[in-house]
Each structure stands twice: as structure tokens, then as C-alpha cells.
Amino acid sequence: MSDIIKLLSDSVANQIAAGEVIQRPASVIKELVENSLDAGATDIQVVVKDAGKTLIQIIDNGCGMSSIDARMSFERHATSKISRAEDLFAIRTMGFRGEALASIAAIASVEMKTRRDEDKLGTHICIAGSDITSQEQEACSVGTNFLVKNLFYNVPARRKFLKSDRAENKHILTELHRVVLTNPEISFTFISDNNQVFQLKPENLRQRIINIFGKALNSSLINVSTDTSIVKINGFIAKPERSKKSTSEQFFFVNNRYMYHPYFRKSIAMAYNKLIPEGEHPSFFIYFTIDPAHIDINIHPTKTEIKFEDEQAIFQIVNAAVKESLGKFNIVPSLEFEENITRDAHLTSKTSFKSPSITINPDYNPFDQKGTQNFKRDTMPGNWESFYTPSQTKTPDDFFLPKESIPEQKELLDETAFKKEEKGIFFQLKNKYILTSGKSGLIVINQKRAHERILFEKFLKLLETRKGVTQKSLFPVIYEPAPSERAVLLEVISELNNIGFEIVMLGKDKFEIKGVPGDLTDIDPHKTIDQMVYVLGEISGSAEMVLHEKIALSLAKTAAFKVGKIMCEQEMQDLFYRLMSCSNHNHTIEGKKILEIISVDEIEKKLN
Ligand code: ADP
Ligand code: MG
């Protein structure tokens, strides 16, 4: 039998290796921008066309390369950054594997112009499928200018795997956020399809965060800072009312490198404890400084996980630092805060706690007729109310269920064949399900899904009839969405205005919410729009739904009450009859079951 093992050609081997490092346009941008940073650039420009599928260009003013290095840089494992295995444990630069340029050159056509300060002429190299097609000396500015065209042109399977431009752009923004947040002293420009998405000048970290995530964050950021023998922690957390349904504003960095760390994230979530509604996430930007010998970043080239030697201790340090900051700003009710001091004070000797003694309400408004007693409820959205007085205060949903429009019970009973005499009593189970008796058995309703369905149908109807009534706000709210959210909002703004919102565009990045639908007057307009736009972004890929359905669904999901709402019997009954008047009371728009009937037969069998 003849030999069967063959050596792969270089280009095939390179393509396989490239798959490890380069999965999508965002990975190319990450690698090239990190190279620019390692090259000491102070100004980096990123230009993309068609979400990077057609073109990616990175221009930096870094140290550039000699003509020999320019050629060498495309060789696999060619790097100027480490030379010994031990160096892997003292990594201070972003790149270190010498794989990125070789990988990119294997799966795209690449052009690079580069010049060092000391050289008169620069080098211009063209590469396609790992082969250098030309190399010339050429006049160019100091630094490196990288052009990557037709990504995956020679790997159709990968090209097909790429998502929509919107999805790929989102990945690019995610990568860029991680880089710009660790380098506030560096200028960054990002241009996508001829639109300037951002232009960031050198600034401090706080300004940088605000310039990326919107000015609204300014009043919400709280400083976090602690210094222990194991780790130094700096950065910002946001006040609880900034919480989001997504984790898009959660950032950990270690030695200026982005890190994904669910365990430390949990530590922060625990520090916020009940301050934010279930299902929402606090915003944070936390920077760790630690001796590189105590972490291992050499796990996987694309992974952002990092291993720490002393994970449990750091978990507690993070938790204590966040609690301390929340406490300083009087955000944690003092009683709970004091409890925590005694529990955690031993964790880190350098972290000191001060319990707040005076309560000052910064939002106190002597002209506010509601008075001071309620200030917490007025300034804090959603579930804050239930945190203080669980079942008495009104929540947004109360305003979606005006009593006068509750349908006649009789028609519903006929329609759903529930016997009037058995309509009886409503019970709540685990603050999640509503139980009542029906004609053939026990009816179990998922209360949150039911509410979502009711709101969905209500908003859909409003969207179709365009008959929303606007309640003008006395104090219009300014909304400054992040770039990715702005695009989503612009798509739906006229529809939202049809159903009663009054949102006007003040500038490129600035909107004013001047009014909300009549029955939504008690919600936090800023938060509602923000979350609704987020949910809309998430479901935008669904091809089965038309735009009105997507808008109605995103509004319903935003406004539906949270899991765990305690309901009184009247509320349960209202919800039940409203659900029964929906066109579909069995399933949510996403196909999940809202209601189940456990038959008397089944019950009898179980109790046999
Ligand atoms: P790594 O960054 O892991 O060293 P790369 O393949 O990304 O590997 O880059 C290879 C080498 O090319 C780098 O070590 C660096 O010397 C050089 N290089 C890459 N990009 C730039 C740049 N923008 N400016 C200057 N030198 C660069
Ligand atoms: Mg690199």
C-alpha cells in the first residue's frame, strides 16, 4: 500500500490556522488595532465598507517597520514581541504570537504601506493568499497603513458563515469599545460606509466612557478604587438606575486587556444585590492591575478568558470595592450596608468602609407636589418600588390596564367556556404563576408571558390604527443613544411617534423625548426607549415578523412586568380576563406557552 500521509501546502495550512485567529471582520480589526497600539501609535483610524466584508483599513502613526521587517511580519510566528517561553508570563504587549498578519494574509488580499521615522522611503507590500505579489519602496507617512480587501475570498465556507452587515458591525463596535476604553489617551476614528461613527480625541477615562456610551451616563458614574497587595482596582460603576437588559456596558480589563470573567461579574452583581430589577445588569468599567506573573493569558488566541491565581480573594475584593462605592454615594440603604460591613470587613485590609450617616436627597425638588417622601420612587425606575414597599405601589403595568376597558366578564366566559360559578378565586404561585379554576380543571398561567401577550396585542393595534394619544411631558428628557442604538431608533422613530411617543431628533446623536403614550405616563421614558431599542436590536434579525410586530414585541417586552411581581387578587383577575380577550391567549408571539390546564382527571389520577 502506498503512503497516505501528505504535507499540507503552506496556503492550506495557513488557512486552517487563520480560522483560529480570524473568524470575522471584527477579529481582523482587533488584531490590526492591537498591532498599532503595540507600535506606539497615538492616532488610529479604522475604516470599513460593508461591515468589513469588502474593505478594512487601519491607519496608524506608530513606529512603522523596516523593509525587511515588513516582509518578515507576514511569516507565521514572526514577532518582535517575545523570544523566550518565559516571556509568555510577563506579557505587556497586546500581541505576542506572531500569527495575526500571517493569518490575515492567508484569507484576504492585503496591502501594507509602512515607514519608520528614520527611513526616507517606506515599503509597499501586496499579498494575496499568503503570496507576496509585489514589494516596492514608496514615499509614505511614518507609521503603518493596512488595507484588507475581500475577506475570506478564498474560503467561501467562512464567507458564507458571516452574518448580516448589522450583526458584523455590532461585533466590530464591541471590539473597538474594548480597545478605546483601555486607551483614552489615544485618538481613534471609526468610519463605516463613509459615515463617521466616532471620533475620539485624547481624554480622561470618564470622558471616554461618556463619549462612547452617551452623555446620560455622566451623572450616573461612580468611582471605584481599591489597592490591595494582590490586585489594584480602578474604574467606574454606574448607579443602579442605569441597569440594562443587556450586558453591553459591562467591562473588565486586566493590565489594560479586555477580559471576560463571569465569576467576577457575579461578584459585582452580588454587590448590587436587590438594587436592580431581576433580569437587568449593572453597568461597570473595572480595570485590574496585577503582576503578570499571577495571571495566565495564554489560554487561547481568540478567547478573552484570563486565569487568576487568586480568584476567590479577588472576587471578594471586587465585591467589597463595589459595595463601598455604592455605599459612599448612599445608594445602598444604610441598614443593609452596615450588615455587609461586618460580614466583609475582614476580606481586605486596605479596603476601608465608611457607613453613610446623613441621607441627602440630591433630587429633592421643593416644587414637586408629590413631596419628599416618595423621592426614591420618583427617581428610581421599575422594581425600585417593590424593593421598598412590595405590593402597594403602582408599577408601570398598572397604567397599561385601565380598569374601564376591562371586557365584560360574561362575553369572555362564553368565549372561553369557563363556568361563571367556577370563576372563583385567583392564587399566585411563587409570584410567577396565577392559578384559577376552569371548566375542566386547574388553569395555570405564566403571568409575565400573559402580560407580554396583552401588551403586544395592544401595541400592535395602536400601530395599525396609528391612534396613539400623546401625553406631553412637562420635563422632556434628552436621550443620547450609543451609535449602534441610534441606527435602530432611527428606523422606528416615526412608528413610535404614531402610537403616542413624541421623539424629536435634536442633533446627530441627540433625541428629545417630549411625550409618551397616554397610558404610559408613569414610566421612565428614557429607560423604556433605551431598553426597547435594545430588545428591537436583538430581534431585528427575525425574518418572520413585520416591522409593526417587532416594535410591538419590543415595547411589550420592555414594559411587561418583571418576573416575581406580587399581585393582588384584583390584578390577577384583570390580567386573566385581558388575556382571555387576546386573539391568542395560549402562546406568546415567540411561541412559548402562556397557559396550561391541568385536567380534573389528571388531578384525580395523581391523588389516587
Ligand atoms: P504579534 O503582534 O503577535 O507580534 P503579528 O502577526 O500581529 O504578531 O505582527 C507581527 C509583527 O509585525 C509584530 O511583532 C510587529 O513587529 C510587526 N507589526 C505588525 N503591525 C505593525 C504596526 N502597525 N506597526 C509596526 N509594526 C507592526
Ligand atoms: Mg499582533
Side-chain angles (χ1 to χ4, degrees):
M1 209 170 112
S2 62
D3 300 334
I4 52 168
I5 298 179
K6 291 191 205 92
L7 265 183
L8 288 174
S9 73
D10 273 0
S11 83
V12 174
N14 282 348
Q15 279 179 20
I16 294 170
E20 285 272 292
V21 188
I22 307 298
Q23 286 147 353
R24 48 175 23 107
S27 350
V28 174
I29 291 172
K30 170 180 186 281
E31 293 294 338
L32 294 184
V33 170
E34 287 185 352
N35 280 349
S36 300
L37 290 169
D38 287 343
T42 56
D43 188 337
I44 299 173
Q45 294 172 46
V46 179
V47 180
V48 300
K49 287 226 166 79
D50 306 321
K53 294 170 189 168
T54 315
L55 177 138
I56 296 169
Q57 186 172 23
I58 314 278
I59 306 164
D60 72 45
N61 64 350
C63 64
M65 285 175 257
S66 70
S67 63
I68 291 178
D69 281 351
R71 199 175 181 114
M72 265 301 280
S73 67
F74 289 98
E75 296 292 329
R76 195 159 294 282
H77 304 305
T79 177
S80 54
K81 297 167 195 172
I82 58 167
S83 53
R84 302 164 310 156
E86 302 92 281
D87 293 343
L88 278 174
F89 295 94
I91 289 162
R92 293 266 180 200
T93 51
M94 302 301 296
F96 52 87
R97 293 163 185 277
E99 278 179 320
L101 295 194
S103 297
I104 295 168
I107 42 123
S109 29
V110 174
E111 253 183 80
M112 182 179 80
K113 288 182 191 176
T114 184
R115 179 164 79 86
R116 299 183 302 178
D117 197 23
E118 61 262 46
D119 299 330
K120 273 220 174 79
L121 284 175
T123 308
H124 181 180
I125 288 187
C126 298
I127 300 189
S130 298
D131 294 325
I132 297 187
T133 52
S134 79
Q135 173 165 3
E136 281 156 16
Q137 292 217 311
E138 202 176 290
C140 59
S141 18
V142 172
T144 304
N145 182 337
F146 231 99
L147 202 65
V148 179
K149 284 192 257 176
N150 301 325
L151 190 63
F152 298 130
Y153 77 99
N154 54 352
V155 199
R158 272 203 172 264
R159 201 171 164 92
K160 239 190 266 161
F161 186 69
L162 292 177
K163 301 231 170 75
S164 68
D165 280 8
R166 178 189 279 174
E168 292 300 338
N169 266 325
K170 212 168 161 185
H171 283 289
I172 293 174
L173 261 183
T174 302
E175 286 299 347
L176 287 176
H177 283 165
R178 294 171 184 178
V179 180
V180 300
L181 281 173
T182 38
N183 297 281
E185 71 291 351
I186 290 176
S187 302
F188 285 95
T189 310
F190 175 40
I191 295 169
S192 170
D193 292 329
N194 298 323
N195 294 319
Q196 185 174 289
V197 182
F198 57 68
Q199 183 173 29
L200 301 162
K201 297 268 167 251
E203 53 202 344
N204 66 31
L205 177 61
R206 189 186 184 105
Q207 288 164 331
R208 175 71 42 115
I209 293 173
I210 291 161
N211 277 331
I212 299 167
F213 295 104
K215 297 202 176 68
L217 194 52
N218 191 21
S219 57
S220 194
L221 289 181
I222 304 171
N223 208 28
V224 176
S225 162
T226 191
D227 192 358
T228 72
S229 50
I230 311 173
V231 67
K232 198 172 149 192
I233 296 172
N234 285 306
F236 295 94
I237 54 172
K239 290 184 189 163
E241 65 260 33
R242 175 74 187 189
S243 67
K244 297 204 138 219
K245 286 208 166 160
S246 73
T247 53
S248 62
E249 284 181 9
Q250 299 199 328
F251 292 88
F252 281 124
F253 302 96
V254 58
N255 296 348
N256 244 15
R257 173 187 292 272
Y258 173 80
M259 135 178 109
Y260 171 71
H261 211 296
Y263 183 59
F264 294 164
R265 182 197 276 174
K266 171 106 184 128
S267 153
I268 294 192
M270 279 168 66
Y272 277 80
N273 196 11
K274 292 181 190 135
L275 296 173
I276 52 178
E278 207 175 307
E280 295 192 7
H281 309 278
S283 303
F284 60 77
F285 310 85
I286 299 285
Y287 296 70
F288 297 83
T289 313
I290 189 165
D291 180 346
H294 297 302
I295 53 172
D296 182 6
I297 51 179
N298 187 28
I299 303 175
H300 188 275
T302 60
K303 293 271 159 62
T304 47
E305 276 117 282
I306 290 183
K307 263 196 84 56
F308 286 70
E309 242 172 48
D310 227 340
E311 232 142 58
Q312 281 181 6
I314 297 176
F315 180 98
Q316 298 188 322
I317 293 168
V318 171
N319 184 269
V322 170
K323 271 186 197 157
E324 187 193 7
S325 294
L326 287 170
K328 265 191 200 153
F329 284 82
N330 223 356
I331 284 165
V332 185
S334 55
L335 214 156
E336 189 190 80
F337 184 62
E338 271 158 18
E339 242 174 44
N340 293 332
I341 294 172
T342 45
R343 212 182 319 130
D344 297 334
H346 64 281
L347 295 176
T348 156
S349 53
K350 286 196 195 170
T351 313
S352 64
F353 293 90
K354 268 196 200 105
S355 82
S357 51
I358 309 168
T359 309
I360 297 166
N361 169 16
D363 300 309
Y364 172 65
N365 174 357
F367 302 105
D368 184 346
Q369 300 201 336
K370 288 177 189 157
T372 53
Q373 262 174 327
N374 280 337
F375 82 89
K376 274 178 175 150
R377 286 182 211 151
D378 292 338
T379 51
M380 296 161 191
N383 271 16
W384 276 85
E385 293 116 315
S386 59
F387 182 50
Y388 289 97
T389 43
S391 56
Q392 292 152 13
T393 48
K394 285 190 169 186
T395 47
D397 46 278
D398 293 319
F399 299 87
F400 287 111
L401 303 173
K403 308 270 184 291
E404 66 275 17
S405 54
I406 296 173
E408 282 295 314
Q409 289 186 13
K410 189 175 153 290
E411 33 175 292
L412 285 165
L413 291 173
D414 292 341
E415 191 183 317
T416 54
F418 294 119
K419 268 196 205 157
K420 196 167 190 172
E421 58 272 24
E422 283 185 356
K423 81 173 170 53
I425 300 166
F426 291 86
F427 287 104
Q428 210 181 5
L429 178 66
K430 298 239 173 220
N431 301 334
K432 194 175 172 192
Y433 302 102
I434 296 171
L435 314 183
T436 190
S437 68
K439 190 180 170 194
S440 55
L442 177 67
I443 305 170
V444 183
I445 294 167
N446 180 315
Q447 61 185 50
K448 184 176 191 298
R449 290 180 187 173
H451 196 206
E452 251 178 53
R453 167 51 84 174
I454 293 165
L455 294 179
F456 171 78
E457 295 205 0
K458 178 193 166 91
F459 286 124
L460 194 61
K461 203 165 155 198
L462 275 178
L463 281 162
E464 262 141 32
T465 54
R466 301 171 172 233
K467 279 207 190 116
V469 180
T470 304
Q471 173 80 46
K472 289 250 186 200
S473 309
L474 277 180
F475 303 103
V477 184
I478 299 293
Y479 177 54
E480 290 168 298
S484 57
E485 286 162 356
R486 182 181 65 218
V488 178
L489 181 59
L490 282 175
E491 268 177 50
V492 298
I493 194 164
S494 66
E495 299 289 352
L496 290 178
N497 286 342
N498 279 338
I499 61 169
F501 282 97
E502 188 178 340
I503 306 171
V504 288
M505 202 170 166
L506 291 184
K508 190 165 154 277
D509 302 312
K510 216 176 190 179
F511 297 82
E512 189 174 25
I513 308 172
K514 295 171 100 168
V516 296
D519 23 318
L520 279 178
T521 47
D522 221 52
I523 57 154
D524 176 337
H526 186 281
K527 205 176 163 91
T528 303
I529 293 292
D530 195 41
Q531 295 195 343
M532 181 247 155
V533 165
Y534 167 71
V535 177
L536 199 59
E538 293 289 289
I539 58 176
S540 65
S542 165
E544 306 91 65
M545 274 195 263
V546 297
L547 185 64
H548 278 180
E549 287 174 335
K550 288 179 190 170
I551 296 174
L553 179 61
S554 60
L555 271 171
K557 278 181 166 294
T558 304
F561 45 63
K562 309 288 173 286
V563 179
K565 178 183 158 63
I566 301 171
M567 297 175 84
C568 70
E569 200 181 343
Q570 183 62 45
E571 286 175 311
M572 289 190 257
Q573 192 177 329
D574 289 352
L575 191 86
F576 177 73
Y577 287 114
R578 293 196 150 264
L579 177 67
M580 288 311 142
S581 67
C582 283
S583 65
N584 177 347
H585 54 246
N586 286 319
H587 293 96
T588 65
I589 193 74
E590 291 152 310
K592 290 189 185 135
K593 253 191 171 173
I594 299 173
L595 174 152
E596 180 68 65
I597 299 176
I598 303 172
S599 70
V600 179
D601 281 356
E602 279 172 78
I603 295 171
E604 275 171 359
K605 252 186 238 156
K606 283 204 188 333
L607 293 179
N608 197 348

